[in-house]
């Protein structure tokens, strides 16, 4: 018998930020839709086109017109992954919310880990078990250094901070987030753990190769923004 404090996710919103992902968006969304249908009784996909300069906007609208339960937001200016997540969060209608990158690196099959029972008002934090196999050696090392630095800096103990974390929607709706880049995921975690006192349940998953394009995570601007962002978050949390 399940404890009364434990819950099972029945309805979920998935936000898909997409910036110049014309080569991977359609495949990702179709696979995501099929996975959601098989696992949850109620769901929605929110594609956030982040002012893309390629055909991402056209593909997103075609997917919305082709399938039900798919919504599209078009940012008039580039807001980065964090700003796009926040825009998507404004319109979610389900009890739980997560995200997937449009490049397909985090596969929709990760959702299978979200069907387990877990404590009410806790956060599900997936962590990859194959980073060194699926990512470049340099990116895997930098990611490991980042994780260790964050754990020490904020006195937490998480195997991963930038994955497709699952939150009770009402937890994030009450938040006031400043990050507009990759650090949005860390900020949401810190807010949930330190301010809202949520428990964390960590679950493993396997990364996949990007469907197309190059990762933007290791650009000089992103690394600089992350360093500055960590200083800001340390003052806040």
């Amino acid at each position: 018998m399940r404890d009364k404090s434990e819950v099972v996710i029945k309805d979920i919103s998935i936000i898909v930020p997409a910036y110049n992902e014309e080569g991977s968006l359609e495949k990702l969304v179709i696979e995501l839709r099929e996975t959601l249908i098989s696992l949850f009784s109620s769901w929605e996909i929110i594609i956030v086109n982040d002012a893309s300069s390629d055909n991402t906007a056209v593909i997103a609208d075609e997917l919305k017109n082709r399938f039900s339960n798919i919504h599209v937001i078009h940012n008039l200016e580039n807001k980065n992954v964090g700003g796009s997540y926040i825009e998507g969060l404004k319109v979610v209608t389900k009890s739980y919310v997560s995200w997937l990158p449009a490049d397909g690196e985090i596969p929709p099959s990760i959702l299978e880990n979200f069907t387990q029972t877990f404590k009410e008002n806790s956060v599900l934090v997936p962590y990859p078990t194959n980073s060194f196999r699926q990512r470049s050696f340099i990116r895997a090392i930098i990611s490991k250094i980042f994780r260790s630095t964050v754990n020490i800096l904020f006195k937490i103990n998480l195997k991963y901070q930038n994955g497709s974390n699952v939150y009770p929607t009402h937890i994030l709706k009450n938040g006031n987030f400043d990050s507009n880049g990759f650090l949005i995921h860390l900020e949401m975690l810190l807010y949930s753990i330190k301010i809202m006192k949520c428990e964390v349940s960590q679950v493993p998953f396997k990364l996949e190769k990007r469907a197309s394009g190059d990762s933007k995570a290791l650009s000089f601007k992103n690394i600089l923004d992350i360093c500055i962002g960590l200083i800001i978050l340390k003052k806040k949390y």
Side-chain angles (χ1 to χ4, degrees), residues 44-72:
E44 64 184 355
I45 299 171
I46 300 167
I47 303 171
V48 184
N49 165 43
D50 195 19
S52 299
S53 58
D54 63 1
N55 288 321
T56 296
V58 174
I59 294 170
D61 284 337
E62 288 177 348
L63 289 166
K64 179 187 68 174
N65 295 331
R66 182 176 170 188
F67 301 113
S68 60
N69 297 351
I70 294 180
H71 313 287
V72 176

Side-chain angles (χ1 to χ4, degrees), residues 10-204:
K10 295 182 179 179
D11 64 312
I12 190 169
S13 301
I14 304 295
I15 299 171
V16 181
Y19 175 64
N20 289 349
E21 298 288 0
E22 64 178 8
S24 57
L25 180 61
E26 182 177 11
K27 179 178 182 297
L28 182 279
V29 170
I30 289 175
E31 184 179 347
L32 173 58
R33 176 179 176 272
E34 293 173 350
T35 303
L36 286 166
I37 289 173
S38 69
L39 295 175
F40 302 99
S41 59
S42 181
W43 56 270
E44 64 184 355
I45 299 171
I46 300 167
I47 303 171
V48 184
N49 165 43
D50 195 19
S52 299
S53 58
D54 63 1
N55 288 321
T56 296
V58 174
I59 294 170
D61 284 337
E62 288 177 348
L63 289 166
K64 179 187 68 174
N65 295 331
R66 182 176 170 188
F67 301 113
S68 60
N69 297 351
I70 294 180
H71 313 287
V72 176
I73 295 172
H74 294 290
N75 291 341
L76 296 181
E77 59 183 14
N78 186 268
K79 296 187 177 183
N80 213 326
V81 64
S84 295
Y85 195 135
I86 292 171
E87 289 301 312
L89 186 61
K90 292 177 181 178
V91 301
V92 300
T93 63
K94 306 305 178 183
S95 301
Y96 292 85
V97 60
S98 185
W99 81 291
L100 283 182
D103 59 23
E105 185 181 47
I106 300 179
S109 59
I110 193 177
L111 298 178
E112 296 172 3
N113 295 314
F114 301 166
T115 59
Q116 66 182 40
T117 60
F118 59 99
K119 289 188 177 181
E120 190 173 7
N121 287 332
S122 64
V123 179
L124 266 65
V125 179
Y127 62 91
T129 58
N130 61 336
S131 291
F132 281 90
R133 292 182 180 180
Q134 295 292 60
R135 289 175 169 171
S136 69
F137 179 77
I138 293 177
R139 183 178 178 188
I141 287 294
I142 291 177
S143 179
K144 186 174 182 178
I145 293 172
F146 172 81
R147 294 195 305 273
S148 299
T149 301
V150 164
N151 282 335
I152 294 171
L153 196 60
F154 297 98
K155 298 179 180 178
I156 56 178
N157 184 24
L158 297 175
K159 297 178 181 179
Y160 201 61
Q161 298 103 0
N162 290 329
S164 297
N165 307 321
V166 183
Y167 301 89
T169 300
H170 70 90
I171 295 291
L172 294 190
K173 288 274 192 179
N174 291 328
N176 181 23
F177 306 110
D178 300 316
S179 304
N180 63 0
F182 289 98
L183 285 182
I184 188 66
H185 309 299
L186 173 61
E187 183 174 5
M188 287 178 171
L189 268 178
L190 292 173
Y191 169 78
S192 301
I193 294 169
K194 293 184 175 291
I195 305 300
M196 302 303 292
K197 306 302 180 183
C198 294
E199 294 189 26
V200 170
S201 178
Q202 300 188 79
V203 293

